[in-house]
Amino acid sequence: MLRRLSIPLLTVLVLAFSITSCAHRAPEPAPPEEDSTPRLYSFFPLPPALPRIQFLTQFSVIGEIVEAEEVKPSFFESFLFGELEEVERIPVPAKTYGIAAKNGKVYVTDTKEARVIVYDLANGRQYAMVTEGLGKLSKPVDLFIEPEGYIFIADIGRQAIIVYDSDERYVSSFGKPGQFQPTSVYVHGDELFVADVQDNEVEVLDRRTGELKRKFGGVGQEDGHFNAPTSLAVSKKGDVYVTDTFNFRVQKFDIRGKQLVTIGAAGAVLGSFTRPKGLEVTPDGVLYVIDAAFEVVQLFNEEGRILTSFGGGDQLALPARIAYDPYNVQFFSEFIHPDFEVEYLLYVTNTIGLRKVSVYGFGHLKDPSKPIGFEELEPVPDDSEGEPGLPELTPDAVEPIESVEP
């Protein structure tokens, strides 16, 4: 009797299970709706001048730029903590400061966590450099990557320059006890330039041995002297530009340390500074200087004449450093206006806020006779209320950026 009932009973159980499974099956997700909102773009200088700089994007994690590699927890992590979200395992910088780039990668110093975060754009990875043992960092504030790929890190906490090779392996450290408190580092040829806030000077070292070759500066307000040299850069010609922060200016020197030009003074208009910080000089001879107080970047020619500015609004947040990148434009192509040709990228680090790096593209219209329509432009922030902002650029106020010689 039991044998005859077993088949119908089994059939009923299977049918019941099938009905229950179908009843609880999650519905297929609806395809995402396409965003019909027209995309707006931000360019500098403002119309009617021809645009030369486009604000592209901001990022803190690699997935905001390119498709990120899937990061899976190890067996041990899964056993202890369960499944981890990918974002929890990506090292996000707590306080960005220095920045540099090479083919396929962007490097950012994190002063709060004493590390260097690497954005591997080519492989969709984000990780912290291994900086242990002799290469351990304390407070890295700046870094520079020379053509062979060697990475020079200015660590004001260790009072040293830490050197890594192109494979991110520790090589050596420069700086004797009490020699300097480095705030910026730059390589030109076989020489390593170091901005030192301890003695208010620039020290020039042999880039391979760290031997002191010469130095210039000293504390003071006179030309050729400094009051907190916080950033430096060397042009293709060999001119040395130094941010003289508490003298509210930038000074230009020749390669031997002879003072040539003073750029800016204390003030709140274009061409002057309130809190000058990081600077960069590009191969086309344009000098970029951050004013952290107004959260803008000002551009100058080789003679120190103001060209234009960019930033403001919510694009920058207490910016610190700026870096030139001609290598990685292709990774930001989705952010570039189709009628704008980007020649190189500019990264600006933000020391506060959620977006740690702001990205701009320097370039030109593909067809200057076809300007970008006003309907495609972001509204210009109104700075008429609150803290005074820098005045708008007008054609009569500055030299047109097109006049900069390559």
Side-chain angles (χ1 to χ4, degrees):
M1 185 66 169
L2 289 176
R3 182 174 298 176
R4 287 197 300 270
L5 291 176
S6 60
I7 295 177
L9 180 61
L10 179 61
T11 304
V12 171
L13 291 175
V14 170
L15 181 60
F17 177 77
S18 301
I19 294 173
T20 304
S21 299
C22 292
H24 290 84
R25 182 176 298 167
E28 292 292 330
E33 295 183 4
E34 293 187 4
D35 187 359
S36 59
T37 305
R39 183 168 185 174
L40 299 179
Y41 298 87
S42 179
F43 285 97
F44 304 89
L46 300 174
L50 291 176
R52 299 307 305 271
I53 296 170
Q54 182 193 339
F55 169 69
L56 299 180
T57 188
Q58 297 167 312
F59 68 90
S60 294
V61 295
I62 192 75
E64 294 170 309
I65 316 167
V66 297
E67 185 175 350
E69 176 188 64
E70 184 179 359
V71 181
K72 295 182 178 180
S74 67
F75 173 80
F76 185 68
E77 288 174 325
S78 298
F79 178 76
L80 289 180
F81 309 112
E83 292 296 321
L84 299 177
E85 294 291 335
E86 177 181 343
V87 70
E88 294 176 345
R89 307 186 71 250
I90 293 178
V92 178
K95 186 175 182 179
T96 50
Y97 218 85
I99 189 166
K102 66 177 183 180
N103 289 334
K105 291 184 178 181
V106 178
Y107 294 75
V108 174
T109 65
D110 183 351
T111 58
K112 187 173 182 179
E113 299 295 335
R115 59 187 179 178
V116 173
I117 303 298
V118 183
Y119 296 89
D120 185 350
L121 305 176
N123 297 298
R125 299 174 57 227
Q126 180 174 339
Y127 60 91
M129 273 180 56
V130 178
T131 55
E132 299 298 332
L134 295 175
K136 187 175 179 60
L137 302 177
S138 174
K139 191 174 183 179
V141 293
D142 196 23
L143 76 167
F144 184 88
I145 305 174
E146 52 84 68
E148 295 179 11
Y150 281 81
I151 305 166
F152 294 80
I153 303 172
D155 192 315
I156 195 171
R158 278 190 58 175
Q159 300 186 10
I161 304 297
I162 320 298
V163 186
Y164 285 81
D165 66 15
S166 59
D167 293 321
E168 301 168 6
R169 297 173 300 194
Y170 172 77
V171 175
S172 60
S173 300
F174 301 149
K176 300 175 182 178
Q179 179 178 348
F180 47 51
Q181 288 184 331
T183 54
S184 188
V185 61
Y186 212 96
V187 176
H188 181 76
D190 291 328
E191 295 187 324
L192 179 68
F193 290 76
V194 180
D196 172 25
V197 292
Q198 173 181 274
D199 298 315
N200 286 283
E201 62 188 14
V202 172
E203 295 198 10
V204 185
L205 315 179
D206 184 291
R207 58 151 289 193
R208 302 188 187 280
T209 66
E211 178 185 357
L212 178 64
K213 300 179 70 173
R214 63 186 179 279
K215 55 186 177 180
F216 56 90
V219 65
Q221 297 180 346
E222 305 83 5
D223 286 347
H225 293 73
F226 303 115
N227 187 2
T230 55
S231 182
L232 59 77
V234 185
S235 74
K236 190 176 180 180
K237 294 181 178 180
D239 294 323
V240 183
Y241 294 87
V242 184
T243 302
D244 190 4
T245 297
F246 294 138
N247 283 330
F248 311 102
R249 63 190 181 185
V250 171
Q251 296 195 65
K252 177 182 177 180
F253 300 81
D254 69 13
I255 200 71
R256 302 299 304 176
K258 178 184 177 182
Q259 206 267 5
L260 301 175
V261 177
T262 296
I263 302 170
V269 296
L270 279 173
S272 63
F273 303 108
T274 297
R275 194 186 302 170
K277 297 291 286 293
L279 57 74
E280 177 69 287
V281 58
T282 50
D284 52 13
V286 178
L287 172 67
Y288 297 82
V289 185
I290 290 173
D291 193 322
F294 292 107
E295 299 181 333
V296 297
V297 179
Q298 299 191 56
L299 284 67
F300 299 85
N301 71 1
E302 292 175 306
E303 287 74 42
R305 289 197 294 271
I306 183 70
L307 301 173
T308 186
S309 66
F310 63 84
D314 58 358
Q315 294 178 6
L316 301 176
L318 202 59
R321 297 289 197 230
I322 181 169
Y324 159 78
D325 177 10
Y327 310 107
N328 299 311
V329 174
Q330 69 271 25
F331 297 108
F332 295 86
S333 58
E334 69 171 289
F335 304 103
I336 301 172
H337 190 285
D339 296 332
F340 193 68
E341 186 76 32
V342 170
E343 301 167 28
Y344 56 79
L345 300 172
L346 294 162
Y347 304 112
V348 183
T349 56
N350 301 305
T351 57
I352 61 174
L354 297 177
R355 297 294 179 262
K356 304 301 183 180
V357 180
S358 297
V359 188
Y360 295 83
F362 180 94
H364 58 272
L365 284 178
K366 295 176 181 178
D367 185 351
S369 67
K370 297 180 179 179
I372 295 171
F374 280 95
E375 69 279 0
E376 297 183 79
L377 300 179
E378 288 272 9
V380 178
D382 182 8
D383 292 328
S384 60
E385 297 181 358
E387 295 185 4
L390 292 173
E392 289 187 10
L393 175 68
T394 62
D396 297 331
V398 301
E399 178 183 349
I401 196 169
E402 286 81 357
S403 67
V404 178
E405 296 182 2

PDB file of all heavy atoms in Angstrom, residues 306-331:
ATOM      1  N   ILE A 306      50.146  87.688 -16.034  1.00  0.00           N
ATOM      2  CA  ILE A 306      48.981  86.842 -15.810  1.00  0.00           C
ATOM      3  C   ILE A 306      48.291  86.545 -17.132  1.00  0.00           C
ATOM      4  O   ILE A 306      48.156  87.420 -17.992  1.00  0.00           O
ATOM      5  CB  ILE A 306      48.007  87.504 -14.802  1.00  0.00           C
ATOM      6  CG1 ILE A 306      46.804  86.595 -14.496  1.00  0.00           C
ATOM      7  CG2 ILE A 306      47.544  88.871 -15.286  1.00  0.00           C
ATOM      8  CD1 ILE A 306      47.146  85.385 -13.701  1.00  0.00           C
ATOM      9  N   LEU A 307      47.846  85.317 -17.300  1.00  0.00           N
ATOM     10  CA  LEU A 307      47.150  84.888 -18.511  1.00  0.00           C
ATOM     11  C   LEU A 307      45.671  84.652 -18.259  1.00  0.00           C
ATOM     12  O   LEU A 307      44.811  85.215 -18.912  1.00  0.00           O
ATOM     13  CB  LEU A 307      47.795  83.607 -19.066  1.00  0.00           C
ATOM     14  CG  LEU A 307      49.279  83.698 -19.429  1.00  0.00           C
ATOM     15  CD1 LEU A 307      49.817  82.328 -19.805  1.00  0.00           C
ATOM     16  CD2 LEU A 307      49.474  84.684 -20.573  1.00  0.00           C
ATOM     17  N   THR A 308      45.370  83.800 -17.315  1.00  0.00           N
ATOM     18  CA  THR A 308      43.983  83.499 -16.968  1.00  0.00           C
ATOM     19  C   THR A 308      43.988  82.733 -15.648  1.00  0.00           C
ATOM     20  O   THR A 308      45.032  82.596 -14.996  1.00  0.00           O
ATOM     21  CB  THR A 308      43.290  82.691 -18.093  1.00  0.00           C
ATOM     22  OG1 THR A 308      41.902  82.535 -17.774  1.00  0.00           O
ATOM     23  CG2 THR A 308      43.906  81.323 -18.268  1.00  0.00           C
ATOM     24  N   SER A 309      42.829  82.212 -15.258  1.00  0.00           N
ATOM     25  CA  SER A 309      42.728  81.406 -14.043  1.00  0.00           C
ATOM     26  C   SER A 309      41.634  80.376 -14.234  1.00  0.00           C
ATOM     27  O   SER A 309      40.805  80.492 -15.136  1.00  0.00           O
ATOM     28  CB  SER A 309      42.428  82.276 -12.814  1.00  0.00           C
ATOM     29  OG  SER A 309      41.134  82.850 -12.921  1.00  0.00           O
ATOM     30  N   PHE A 310      41.648  79.352 -13.397  1.00  0.00           N
ATOM     31  CA  PHE A 310      40.551  78.381 -13.409  1.00  0.00           C
ATOM     32  C   PHE A 310      40.336  77.851 -12.002  1.00  0.00           C
ATOM     33  O   PHE A 310      41.180  78.023 -11.121  1.00  0.00           O
ATOM     34  CB  PHE A 310      40.812  77.236 -14.401  1.00  0.00           C
ATOM     35  CG  PHE A 310      42.010  76.366 -14.092  1.00  0.00           C
ATOM     36  CD1 PHE A 310      41.921  75.308 -13.208  1.00  0.00           C
ATOM     37  CD2 PHE A 310      43.219  76.581 -14.740  1.00  0.00           C
ATOM     38  CE1 PHE A 310      43.002  74.491 -12.941  1.00  0.00           C
ATOM     39  CE2 PHE A 310      44.316  75.772 -14.481  1.00  0.00           C
ATOM     40  CZ  PHE A 310      44.216  74.721 -13.588  1.00  0.00           C
ATOM     41  N   GLY A 311      39.192  77.186 -11.813  1.00  0.00           N
ATOM     42  CA  GLY A 311      38.834  76.664 -10.498  1.00  0.00           C
ATOM     43  C   GLY A 311      37.619  77.383  -9.950  1.00  0.00           C
ATOM     44  O   GLY A 311      36.762  77.841 -10.693  1.00  0.00           O
ATOM     45  N   GLY A 312      37.556  77.491  -8.620  1.00  0.00           N
ATOM     46  CA  GLY A 312      36.420  78.135  -7.990  1.00  0.00           C
ATOM     47  C   GLY A 312      35.216  77.219  -7.927  1.00  0.00           C
ATOM     48  O   GLY A 312      35.266  76.056  -8.353  1.00  0.00           O
ATOM     49  N   GLY A 313      34.112  77.730  -7.416  1.00  0.00           N
ATOM     50  CA  GLY A 313      32.910  76.915  -7.267  1.00  0.00           C
ATOM     51  C   GLY A 313      33.185  75.713  -6.388  1.00  0.00           C
ATOM     52  O   GLY A 313      33.810  75.812  -5.338  1.00  0.00           O
ATOM     53  N   ASP A 314      32.709  74.532  -6.826  1.00  0.00           N
ATOM     54  CA  ASP A 314      32.947  73.310  -6.067  1.00  0.00           C
ATOM     55  C   ASP A 314      34.000  72.430  -6.742  1.00  0.00           C
ATOM     56  O   ASP A 314      34.101  71.248  -6.442  1.00  0.00           O
ATOM     57  CB  ASP A 314      31.645  72.533  -5.883  1.00  0.00           C
ATOM     58  CG  ASP A 314      30.997  72.183  -7.219  1.00  0.00           C
ATOM     59  OD1 ASP A 314      31.536  72.571  -8.280  1.00  0.00           O
ATOM     60  OD2 ASP A 314      29.944  71.513  -7.204  1.00  0.00           O
ATOM     61  N   GLN A 315      34.798  73.013  -7.634  1.00  0.00           N
ATOM     62  CA  GLN A 315      35.795  72.226  -8.351  1.00  0.00           C
ATOM     63  C   GLN A 315      37.028  71.934  -7.493  1.00  0.00           C
ATOM     64  O   GLN A 315      37.657  70.888  -7.645  1.00  0.00           O
ATOM     65  CB  GLN A 315      36.217  72.941  -9.633  1.00  0.00           C
ATOM     66  CG  GLN A 315      35.103  73.049 -10.659  1.00  0.00           C
ATOM     67  CD  GLN A 315      35.528  73.797 -11.905  1.00  0.00           C
ATOM     68  OE1 GLN A 315      36.691  74.150 -12.075  1.00  0.00           O
ATOM     69  NE2 GLN A 315      34.576  74.063 -12.788  1.00  0.00           N
ATOM     70  N   LEU A 316      37.380  72.852  -6.616  1.00  0.00           N
ATOM     71  CA  LEU A 316      38.564  72.690  -5.781  1.00  0.00           C
ATOM     72  C   LEU A 316      38.189  72.913  -4.318  1.00  0.00           C
ATOM     73  O   LEU A 316      37.296  73.710  -4.011  1.00  0.00           O
ATOM     74  CB  LEU A 316      39.668  73.676  -6.184  1.00  0.00           C
ATOM     75  CG  LEU A 316      40.169  73.578  -7.628  1.00  0.00           C
ATOM     76  CD1 LEU A 316      41.181  74.682  -7.917  1.00  0.00           C
ATOM     77  CD2 LEU A 316      40.774  72.209  -7.904  1.00  0.00           C
ATOM     78  N   ALA A 317      38.902  72.192  -3.418  1.00  0.00           N
ATOM     79  CA  ALA A 317      38.629  72.298  -1.978  1.00  0.00           C
ATOM     80  C   ALA A 317      39.954  72.339  -1.228  1.00  0.00           C
ATOM     81  O   ALA A 317      40.607  71.322  -1.043  1.00  0.00           O
ATOM     82  CB  ALA A 317      37.776  71.121  -1.508  1.00  0.00           C
ATOM     83  N   LEU A 318      40.370  73.548  -0.854  1.00  0.00           N
ATOM     84  CA  LEU A 318      41.651  73.794  -0.204  1.00  0.00           C
ATOM     85  C   LEU A 318      42.765  73.066  -0.971  1.00  0.00           C
ATOM     86  O   LEU A 318      43.412  72.159  -0.462  1.00  0.00           O
ATOM     87  CB  LEU A 318      41.628  73.353   1.257  1.00  0.00           C
ATOM     88  CG  LEU A 318      42.681  74.025   2.157  1.00  0.00           C
ATOM     89  CD1 LEU A 318      42.503  75.537   2.167  1.00  0.00           C
ATOM     90  CD2 LEU A 318      42.588  73.484   3.571  1.00  0.00           C
ATOM     91  N   PRO A 319      42.987  73.454  -2.223  1.00  0.00           N
ATOM     92  CA  PRO A 319      43.959  72.745  -3.063  1.00  0.00           C
ATOM     93  C   PRO A 319      45.384  72.922  -2.577  1.00  0.00           C
ATOM     94  O   PRO A 319      45.733  73.951  -1.983  1.00  0.00           O
ATOM     95  CB  PRO A 319      43.753  73.384  -4.434  1.00  0.00           C
ATOM     96  CG  PRO A 319      43.225  74.762  -4.137  1.00  0.00           C
ATOM     97  CD  PRO A 319      42.380  74.597  -2.916  1.00  0.00           C
ATOM     98  N   ALA A 320      46.219  71.908  -2.864  1.00  0.00           N
ATOM     99  CA  ALA A 320      47.589  71.926  -2.367  1.00  0.00           C
ATOM    100  C   ALA A 320      48.628  71.849  -3.478  1.00  0.00           C
ATOM    101  O   ALA A 320      49.570  72.622  -3.514  1.00  0.00           O
ATOM    102  CB  ALA A 320      47.812  70.774  -1.386  1.00  0.00           C
ATOM    103  N   ARG A 321      48.492  70.882  -4.392  1.00  0.00           N
ATOM    104  CA  ARG A 321      49.503  70.646  -5.415  1.00  0.00           C
ATOM    105  C   ARG A 321      48.850  70.500  -6.786  1.00  0.00           C
ATOM    106  O   ARG A 321      47.683  70.125  -6.909  1.00  0.00           O
ATOM    107  CB  ARG A 321      50.294  69.376  -5.113  1.00  0.00           C
ATOM    108  CG  ARG A 321      51.102  69.405  -3.822  1.00  0.00           C
ATOM    109  CD  ARG A 321      52.294  70.337  -3.952  1.00  0.00           C
ATOM    110  NE  ARG A 321      53.277  70.075  -2.919  1.00  0.00           N
ATOM    111  CZ  ARG A 321      53.821  71.001  -2.138  1.00  0.00           C
ATOM    112  NH1 ARG A 321      53.462  72.263  -2.282  1.00  0.00           N
ATOM    113  NH2 ARG A 321      54.726  70.684  -1.229  1.00  0.00           N
ATOM    114  N   ILE A 322      49.664  70.760  -7.816  1.00  0.00           N
ATOM    115  CA  ILE A 322      49.211  70.612  -9.194  1.00  0.00           C
ATOM    116  C   ILE A 322      50.290  69.878  -9.973  1.00  0.00           C
ATOM    117  O   ILE A 322      51.486  70.078  -9.731  1.00  0.00           O
ATOM    118  CB  ILE A 322      48.895  71.993  -9.823  1.00  0.00           C
ATOM    119  CG1 ILE A 322      48.397  71.833 -11.263  1.00  0.00           C
ATOM    120  CG2 ILE A 322      50.085  72.927  -9.757  1.00  0.00           C
ATOM    121  CD1 ILE A 322      47.823  73.118 -11.852  1.00  0.00           C
ATOM    122  N   ALA A 323      49.876  69.000 -10.892  1.00  0.00           N
ATOM    123  CA  ALA A 323      50.827  68.201 -11.657  1.00  0.00           C
ATOM    124  C   ALA A 323      50.415  68.118 -13.113  1.00  0.00           C
ATOM    125  O   ALA A 323      49.230  68.039 -13.442  1.00  0.00           O
ATOM    126  CB  ALA A 323      50.949  66.797 -11.071  1.00  0.00           C
ATOM    127  N   TYR A 324      51.421  68.115 -13.974  1.00  0.00           N
ATOM    128  CA  TYR A 324      51.267  68.014 -15.430  1.00  0.00           C
ATOM    129  C   TYR A 324      51.319  66.551 -15.841  1.00  0.00           C
ATOM    130  O   TYR A 324      52.156  65.788 -15.365  1.00  0.00           O
ATOM    131  CB  TYR A 324      52.407  68.815 -16.065  1.00  0.00           C
ATOM    132  CG  TYR A 324      52.768  68.488 -17.492  1.00  0.00           C
ATOM    133  CD1 TYR A 324      52.002  68.962 -18.546  1.00  0.00           C
ATOM    134  CD2 TYR A 324      53.923  67.763 -17.786  1.00  0.00           C
ATOM    135  CE1 TYR A 324      52.370  68.706 -19.864  1.00  0.00           C
ATOM    136  CE2 TYR A 324      54.300  67.503 -19.095  1.00  0.00           C
ATOM    137  CZ  TYR A 324      53.520  67.974 -20.130  1.00  0.00           C
ATOM    138  OH  TYR A 324      53.884  67.716 -21.435  1.00  0.00           O
ATOM    139  N   ASP A 325      50.401  66.138 -16.737  1.00  0.00           N
ATOM    140  CA  ASP A 325      50.359  64.743 -17.189  1.00  0.00           C
ATOM    141  C   ASP A 325      50.018  64.683 -18.678  1.00  0.00           C
ATOM    142  O   ASP A 325      48.864  64.831 -19.066  1.00  0.00           O
ATOM    143  CB  ASP A 325      49.325  63.956 -16.385  1.00  0.00           C
ATOM    144  CG  ASP A 325      49.189  62.511 -16.862  1.00  0.00           C
ATOM    145  OD1 ASP A 325      50.020  62.058 -17.676  1.00  0.00           O
ATOM    146  OD2 ASP A 325      48.251  61.824 -16.420  1.00  0.00           O
ATOM    147  N   PRO A 326      51.029  64.422 -19.532  1.00  0.00           N
ATOM    148  CA  PRO A 326      50.750  64.268 -20.962  1.00  0.00           C
ATOM    149  C   PRO A 326      50.501  62.820 -21.367  1.00  0.00           C
ATOM    150  O   PRO A 326      50.275  62.547 -22.545  1.00  0.00           O
ATOM    151  CB  PRO A 326      52.049  64.773 -21.598  1.00  0.00           C
ATOM    152  CG  PRO A 326      53.109  64.338 -20.624  1.00  0.00           C
ATOM    153  CD  PRO A 326      52.471  64.413 -19.241  1.00  0.00           C
ATOM    154  N   TYR A 327      50.534  61.896 -20.397  1.00  0.00           N
ATOM    155  CA  TYR A 327      50.551  60.467 -20.701  1.00  0.00           C
ATOM    156  C   TYR A 327      49.166  59.807 -20.721  1.00  0.00           C
ATOM    157  O   TYR A 327      48.964  58.826 -21.431  1.00  0.00           O
ATOM    158  CB  TYR A 327      51.415  59.717 -19.673  1.00  0.00           C
ATOM    159  CG  TYR A 327      52.774  60.321 -19.452  1.00  0.00           C
ATOM    160  CD1 TYR A 327      53.053  61.012 -18.270  1.00  0.00           C
ATOM    161  CD2 TYR A 327      53.780  60.224 -20.402  1.00  0.00           C
ATOM    162  CE1 TYR A 327      54.300  61.573 -18.045  1.00  0.00           C
ATOM    163  CE2 TYR A 327      55.029  60.774 -20.191  1.00  0.00           C
ATOM    164  CZ  TYR A 327      55.280  61.461 -19.008  1.00  0.00           C
ATOM    165  OH  TYR A 327      56.516  62.017 -18.793  1.00  0.00           O
ATOM    166  N   ASN A 328      48.232  60.294 -19.925  1.00  0.00           N
ATOM    167  CA  ASN A 328      47.026  59.517 -19.629  1.00  0.00           C
ATOM    168  C   ASN A 328      45.731  60.137 -20.121  1.00  0.00           C
ATOM    169  O   ASN A 328      44.656  59.849 -19.581  1.00  0.00           O
ATOM    170  CB  ASN A 328      46.942  59.289 -18.110  1.00  0.00           C
ATOM    171  CG  ASN A 328      48.131  58.505 -17.584  1.00  0.00           C
ATOM    172  OD1 ASN A 328      48.482  57.465 -18.131  1.00  0.00           O
ATOM    173  ND2 ASN A 328      48.754  59.009 -16.523  1.00  0.00           N
ATOM    174  N   VAL A 329      45.793  60.965 -21.150  1.00  0.00           N
ATOM    175  CA  VAL A 329      44.590  61.639 -21.645  1.00  0.00           C
ATOM    176  C   VAL A 329      43.521  60.633 -22.055  1.00  0.00           C
ATOM    177  O   VAL A 329      42.316  60.838 -21.817  1.00  0.00           O
ATOM    178  CB  VAL A 329      44.945  62.566 -22.826  1.00  0.00           C
ATOM    179  CG1 VAL A 329      43.671  63.151 -23.438  1.00  0.00           C
ATOM    180  CG2 VAL A 329      45.873  63.683 -22.369  1.00  0.00           C
ATOM    181  N   GLN A 330      43.931  59.507 -22.642  1.00  0.00           N
ATOM    182  CA  GLN A 330      42.953  58.548 -23.175  1.00  0.00           C
ATOM    183  C   GLN A 330      42.033  57.986 -22.095  1.00  0.00           C
ATOM    184  O   GLN A 330      40.891  57.598 -22.384  1.00  0.00           O
ATOM    185  CB  GLN A 330      43.661  57.395 -23.903  1.00  0.00           C
ATOM    186  CG  GLN A 330      44.452  56.448 -23.020  1.00  0.00           C
ATOM    187  CD  GLN A 330      45.885  56.874 -22.805  1.00  0.00           C
ATOM    188  OE1 GLN A 330      46.202  58.065 -22.916  1.00  0.00           O
ATOM    189  NE2 GLN A 330      46.765  55.924 -22.516  1.00  0.00           N
ATOM    190  N   PHE A 331      42.494  57.955 -20.861  1.00  0.00           N
ATOM    191  CA  PHE A 331      41.669  57.389 -19.792  1.00  0.00           C
ATOM    192  C   PHE A 331      40.553  58.342 -19.346  1.00  0.00           C
ATOM    193  O   PHE A 331      39.673  57.948 -18.585  1.00  0.00           O
ATOM    194  CB  PHE A 331      42.541  57.013 -18.594  1.00  0.00           C
ATOM    195  CG  PHE A 331      43.553  55.944 -18.903  1.00  0.00           C
ATOM    196  CD1 PHE A 331      44.896  56.247 -18.997  1.00  0.00           C
ATOM    197  CD2 PHE A 331      43.151  54.641 -19.133  1.00  0.00           C
ATOM    198  CE1 PHE A 331      45.835  55.267 -19.295  1.00  0.00           C
ATOM    199  CE2 PHE A 331      44.072  53.652 -19.431  1.00  0.00           C
ATOM    200  CZ  PHE A 331      45.421  53.959 -19.515  1.00  0.00           C
TER     201      PHE A 331
END
